[in-house]
Amino acid sequence: MKISCNRLKSYIKDSDSIDWLKIWDLFTIRTAEVENVTIKGNDMKDVVVAQITECKEHPTKPKYHLLKVTDGEKNYNILCGAPNVRTGLKAPLVKVGGMVSNITIAAKCIAGFTSEGMLCSGTELGINDYSEGIIELPDDAPLGVDLKEYLPINDIIVEIDNKSLTNRPDLWGHYGIAREIAAITNHKLLPLDV
């Protein structure tokens, strides 16, 4: 079972005083085995909210689109193979020199067109398994804002062994794990909105 520490924090009063990397050793000793702790968001930089202002098919490669994209301050030429691109769409843009999944993005000539950045799918950002197209952000997403400020991407994801939880149905979700963490750290558990 995978647990988001961001979500756990919303259930525990004064959760900022908990060391969310070290607490899992105590959790393993007292409750259930933690298999893995992953820090999310450290592997990306210069990823901003951008909008497609123009979308054309590539003249010789029909699977590619030639895009004009803006972050509100600067315009970029992007080559993209995602099927869901269209004029007006807001999406995450990795600028040249930026990084996603520990890969630094450079201006690159592909199919005779220089791409000045990259629009990203959820898989490329490491936030979900959707790779059939780029992430579509809401129309009210503010242009140029760092994606980590707009979406709660910075997180610690904890993987807990399911076998060690079979006899503890009270721990089969975020609220149950938050209750256990609150008990271990002597913090107050906030009521669950039902």
Side-chain angles (χ1 to χ4, degrees), residues 8 11 17 32 39 43-44 49 64-65 71 75 78 85 87 93 95 98 104-105 124 141-142 155 164 171 177 183-184:
L8 294 179
Y11 298 133
S17 64
I39 300 171
D43 59 351
M44 79 171 61
V49 176
Y64 289 120
H65 295 90
D71 64 2
N75 295 321
I78 306 283
V85 294
T87 301
L93 167 70
K95 298 177 182 182
T104 301
I105 302 302
E124 291 161 335
D155 198 358
S164 63
L171 298 176
I177 299 294
I184 290 170

Side-chain angles (χ1 to χ4, degrees), residues 73-143:
E73 292 181 9
K74 187 177 174 189
N75 295 321
Y76 305 87
N77 293 310
I78 306 283
L79 179 74
C80 186
N84 64 330
V85 294
R86 62 187 178 279
T87 301
L89 176 69
K90 289 190 176 177
L93 167 70
V94 186
K95 298 177 182 182
V96 170
M99 183 174 68
V100 65
S101 299
N102 286 322
I103 297 169
T104 301
I105 302 302
K108 197 172 193 180
C109 187
I110 305 168
F113 184 82
T114 301
S115 188
E116 304 168 328
M118 182 174 101
L119 297 177
C120 300
S121 70
T123 304
E124 291 161 335
L125 291 172
I127 59 175
N128 65 29
D129 294 329
Y130 181 73
S131 60
E132 299 302 314
I134 58 173
I135 291 180
E136 298 188 22
L137 298 174
D139 291 337
D140 63 350
L143 290 178

